[in-house]
Every structure is written in C-alpha cells, then in structure tokens.
Coordinates of all heavy atoms in Angstrom, one line a residue:
E20 N 6.3 -1.4 18.2 CA 7.1 -2.5 17.9 C 6.4 -3.8 17.9 O 6.4 -4.6 16.9 CB 8.3 -2.6 18.8 CG 9.3 -3.7 18.5 CD 10.5 -3.8 19.5 OE1 10.5 -2.9 20.4 OE2 11.4 -4.6 19.3
K21 N 5.6 -4.0 18.9 CA 4.8 -5.3 19.0 C 3.7 -5.3 18.0 O 3.4 -6.3 17.4 CB 4.2 -5.4 20.4 CG 3.3 -6.6 20.6 CD 2.8 -6.8 22.0 CE 2.0 -8.0 22.2 NZ 1.5 -8.2 23.6
S22 N 3.1 -4.1 17.7 CA 2.0 -4.0 16.7 C 2.5 -4.3 15.3 O 1.9 -5.1 14.5 CB 1.4 -2.7 16.8 OG 0.8 -2.4 18.0
F23 N 3.7 -3.8 15.0 CA 4.3 -4.0 13.7 C 4.6 -5.5 13.5 O 4.4 -6.1 12.5 CB 5.6 -3.2 13.5 CG 5.4 -1.8 13.1 CD1 6.0 -0.8 13.8 CD2 4.5 -1.4 12.1 CE1 5.8 0.5 13.5 CE2 4.3 -0.1 11.8 CZ 5.0 0.9 12.5
S24 N 5.1 -6.1 14.6 CA 5.4 -7.5 14.6 C 4.2 -8.4 14.3 O 4.2 -9.4 13.6 CB 6.1 -7.9 15.9 OG 6.3 -9.3 16.0
I25 N 3.1 -8.0 15.0 CA 1.8 -8.8 14.8 C 1.3 -8.7 13.3 O 0.9 -9.7 12.7 CB 0.7 -8.3 15.8 CG1 1.1 -8.7 17.2 CG2 -0.6 -8.9 15.4 CD1 0.2 -8.1 18.3
I26 N 1.4 -7.5 12.8 CA 1.0 -7.3 11.4 C 1.8 -8.2 10.5 O 1.3 -8.8 9.6 CB 1.1 -5.8 11.0 CG1 0.1 -4.9 11.8 CG2 0.8 -5.6 9.5 CD1 -1.3 -5.2 11.5
K27 N 3.1 -8.2 10.7 CA 4.0 -8.9 9.9 C 3.8 -10.4 10.0 O 3.7 -11.2 9.0 CB 5.5 -8.6 10.2 CG 6.5 -9.3 9.3 CD 7.9 -8.8 9.6 CE 8.0 -7.3 9.3 NZ 9.5 -6.8 9.5
E28 N 3.5 -10.9 11.2 CA 3.3 -12.3 11.4 C 2.0 -12.8 10.8 O 1.8 -13.9 10.4 CB 3.2 -12.6 13.0 CG 4.5 -12.5 13.7 CD 4.4 -12.6 15.2 OE1 3.2 -12.8 15.6 OE2 5.4 -12.5 15.9
E29 N 1.0 -11.9 10.7 CA -0.3 -12.2 10.2 C -0.4 -12.1 8.6 O -1.5 -12.3 8.0 CB -1.4 -11.4 10.8 CG -1.6 -11.6 12.3 CD -2.2 -13.0 12.6 OE1 -3.1 -13.4 11.8 OE2 -1.8 -13.6 13.5
S30 N 0.7 -11.7 8.0 CA 0.7 -11.6 6.6 C 0.6 -12.9 5.9 O 1.3 -13.9 6.3 CB 2.0 -10.9 6.1 OG 2.1 -10.9 4.7
G31 N -0.4 -13.1 5.1 CA -0.6 -14.4 4.4 C -1.7 -15.2 5.1 O -2.1 -16.2 4.6
S32 N -2.0 -14.8 6.4 CA -3.1 -15.5 7.1 C -4.3 -14.6 7.3 O -5.3 -14.7 6.7 CB -2.6 -16.1 8.4 OG -2.0 -15.1 9.2
H33 N -4.1 -13.6 8.1 CA -5.1 -12.6 8.3 C -5.1 -11.6 7.1 O -6.2 -11.3 6.6 CB -4.9 -11.8 9.6 CG -6.0 -10.9 10.0 ND1 -6.2 -10.5 11.3 CD2 -6.9 -10.2 9.3 CE1 -7.3 -9.7 11.3 NE2 -7.7 -9.5 10.1
F34 N -3.9 -11.1 6.7 CA -3.8 -10.0 5.8 C -3.3 -10.4 4.4 O -2.5 -11.4 4.3 CB -2.9 -8.9 6.4 CG -3.3 -8.4 7.7 CD1 -2.4 -8.6 8.8 CD2 -4.5 -7.8 8.0 CE1 -2.8 -8.2 10.1 CE2 -4.9 -7.4 9.2 CZ -4.0 -7.6 10.3
D35 N -3.7 -9.7 3.4 CA -3.2 -9.8 2.1 C -1.7 -9.4 2.1 O -1.3 -8.3 2.6 CB -3.9 -8.8 1.2 CG -3.4 -8.7 -0.2 OD1 -2.4 -9.4 -0.5 OD2 -3.9 -7.9 -1.0
P36 N -0.8 -10.3 1.7 CA 0.7 -10.0 1.8 C 1.0 -8.7 1.0 O 1.9 -8.0 1.5 CB 1.3 -11.2 1.1 CG 0.3 -12.3 1.3 CD -1.0 -11.7 1.2
R37 N 0.4 -8.4 -0.1 CA 0.7 -7.2 -0.8 C 0.3 -5.9 0.0 O 1.1 -4.9 0.0 CB 0.0 -7.2 -2.2 CG 0.6 -8.2 -3.2 CD -0.2 -8.1 -4.5 NE -0.1 -6.7 -5.1 CZ -1.1 -5.9 -5.3 NH1 -2.3 -6.3 -5.0 NH2 -0.9 -4.8 -5.9
A38 N -0.8 -6.0 0.7 CA -1.2 -4.9 1.5 C -0.3 -4.7 2.7 O 0.0 -3.5 3.0 CB -2.6 -5.1 2.0
V39 N 0.2 -5.8 3.2 CA 1.2 -5.7 4.3 C 2.5 -5.1 3.8 O 3.1 -4.2 4.5 CB 1.4 -7.1 5.0 CG1 2.6 -7.0 6.0 CG2 0.2 -7.6 5.6
D40 N 3.0 -5.5 2.7 CA 4.2 -5.0 2.1 C 4.1 -3.5 1.9 O 5.0 -2.7 2.1 CB 4.5 -5.7 0.8 CG 5.0 -7.1 1.0 OD1 5.3 -7.5 2.1 OD2 5.0 -7.9 0.0
A41 N 2.9 -3.1 1.3 CA 2.7 -1.6 1.1 C 2.6 -0.9 2.4 O 3.1 0.2 2.5 CB 1.3 -1.4 0.4
F42 N 2.0 -1.5 3.5 CA 2.0 -0.9 4.8 C 3.4 -0.6 5.3 O 3.7 0.5 5.8 CB 1.2 -1.8 5.7 CG 1.2 -1.4 7.2 CD1 0.4 -0.4 7.6 CD2 2.0 -2.1 8.1 CE1 0.4 0.0 9.0 CE2 2.1 -1.7 9.4 CZ 1.3 -0.7 9.9
F43 N 4.2 -1.6 5.2 CA 5.6 -1.4 5.7 C 6.4 -0.5 4.8 O 7.3 0.2 5.3 CB 6.3 -2.7 5.9 CG 5.9 -3.4 7.2 CD1 5.0 -4.5 7.1 CD2 6.3 -3.0 8.4 CE1 4.6 -5.2 8.3 CE2 6.0 -3.6 9.6 CZ 5.1 -4.7 9.5
A44 N 6.1 -0.4 3.6 CA 6.8 0.5 2.7 C 6.5 2.0 3.0 O 7.3 2.9 2.7 CB 6.4 0.2 1.2
V45 N 5.3 2.2 3.6 CA 5.0 3.6 4.0 C 5.0 3.7 5.6 O 4.3 4.6 6.1 CB 3.6 4.0 3.5 CG1 3.7 4.1 1.9 CG2 2.5 3.1 3.9
Q46 N 5.8 3.0 6.2 CA 5.9 2.9 7.7 C 6.1 4.3 8.3 O 5.5 4.7 9.3 CB 6.9 1.9 8.1 CG 7.0 1.8 9.6 CD 8.0 0.7 10.0 OE1 8.2 -0.3 9.3 NE2 8.6 0.8 11.2
E47 N 7.1 5.1 7.7 CA 7.4 6.4 8.2 C 6.1 7.3 8.1 O 5.9 8.1 9.1 CB 8.5 7.0 7.5 CG 9.9 6.3 7.7 CD 10.2 6.3 9.2 OE1 10.0 7.3 9.9 OE2 10.6 5.2 9.7
E48 N 5.4 7.2 7.0 CA 4.2 8.0 6.9 C 3.1 7.6 7.9 O 2.4 8.4 8.5 CB 3.6 7.8 5.5 CG 2.5 8.7 5.2 CD 2.0 8.6 3.7 OE1 2.7 8.0 2.9 OE2 0.9 9.2 3.4
I49 N 3.0 6.3 8.2 CA 2.1 5.7 9.1 C 2.4 6.3 10.5 O 1.5 6.8 11.3 CB 2.2 4.2 9.2 CG1 1.7 3.6 7.9 CG2 1.3 3.6 10.4 CD1 0.3 3.8 7.5
L50 N 3.7 6.3 10.9 CA 4.1 6.9 12.2 C 3.8 8.4 12.3 O 3.5 8.9 13.4 CB 5.6 6.5 12.4 CG 5.9 5.0 12.6 CD1 7.4 4.8 12.7 CD2 5.2 4.5 13.9
T51 N 4.0 9.1 11.2 CA 3.8 10.5 11.2 C 2.3 10.8 11.4 O 1.9 11.7 12.2 CB 4.2 11.1 9.8 OG1 5.6 11.0 9.7 CG2 3.9 12.6 9.8
I52 N 1.4 10.0 10.8 CA 0.0 10.2 11.0 C -0.4 9.8 12.4 O -1.2 10.5 13.1 CB -0.8 9.2 10.0 CG1 -0.6 9.7 8.5 CG2 -2.3 9.2 10.3 CD1 -1.0 8.7 7.5
Q53 N 0.2 8.8 12.9 CA -0.1 8.3 14.3 C 0.2 9.4 15.3 O -0.5 9.7 16.2 CB 0.7 7.1 14.6 CG 0.4 6.5 16.0 CD 1.4 5.4 16.3 OE1 2.6 5.6 16.4 NE2 0.8 4.2 16.5
S54 N 1.4 10.0 15.1 CA 1.9 11.1 16.0 C 1.0 12.3 15.9 O 0.7 13.0 16.9 CB 3.3 11.4 15.6 OG 3.8 12.5 16.4
R55 N 0.6 12.7 14.7 CA -0.2 13.9 14.5 C -1.6 13.8 15.0 O -2.2 14.8 15.4 CB -0.2 14.2 13.0 CG -0.9 15.6 12.7 CD -0.7 15.9 11.2 NE 0.7 16.1 10.9 CZ 1.1 16.4 9.6 NH1 0.2 16.5 8.7 NH2 2.4 16.5 9.4

C-alpha cells in the first residue's frame, strides 16, 4: 500500500506518467508476480 502510494506520488516527477498508468493498469499481474 505504501509502495503503490509512493509510485503514484512520484508520477510526473520521478516517473513517466504513462509508465505509471500502465503499471497500475496491470496491478493485479504485478501482485501475482510478487507473490510467486
């Protein structure tokens, strides 16, 4: 939860906003990879 919040907050400063949007669009897949 905190990590997702940091990524979102850094969109447009640290990160490319489009890459961040894509990251959150595949959030369930990200969590599946993390768990596996």
Side-chain angles (χ1 to χ4, degrees):
E20 182 179 2
K21 181 175 181 180
S22 300
F23 282 132
S24 177
I25 291 172
I26 296 294
K27 188 173 293 186
E28 288 172 3
E29 294 292 322
S30 178
S32 54
H33 188 154
F34 305 118
D35 175 359
R37 288 181 61 244
V39 172
D40 290 344
F42 171 78
F43 281 104
V45 294
Q46 182 174 333
E47 291 303 315
E48 186 176 349
I49 296 294
L50 292 174
T51 298
I52 295 168
Q53 182 190 60
S54 175
R55 187 172 297 179

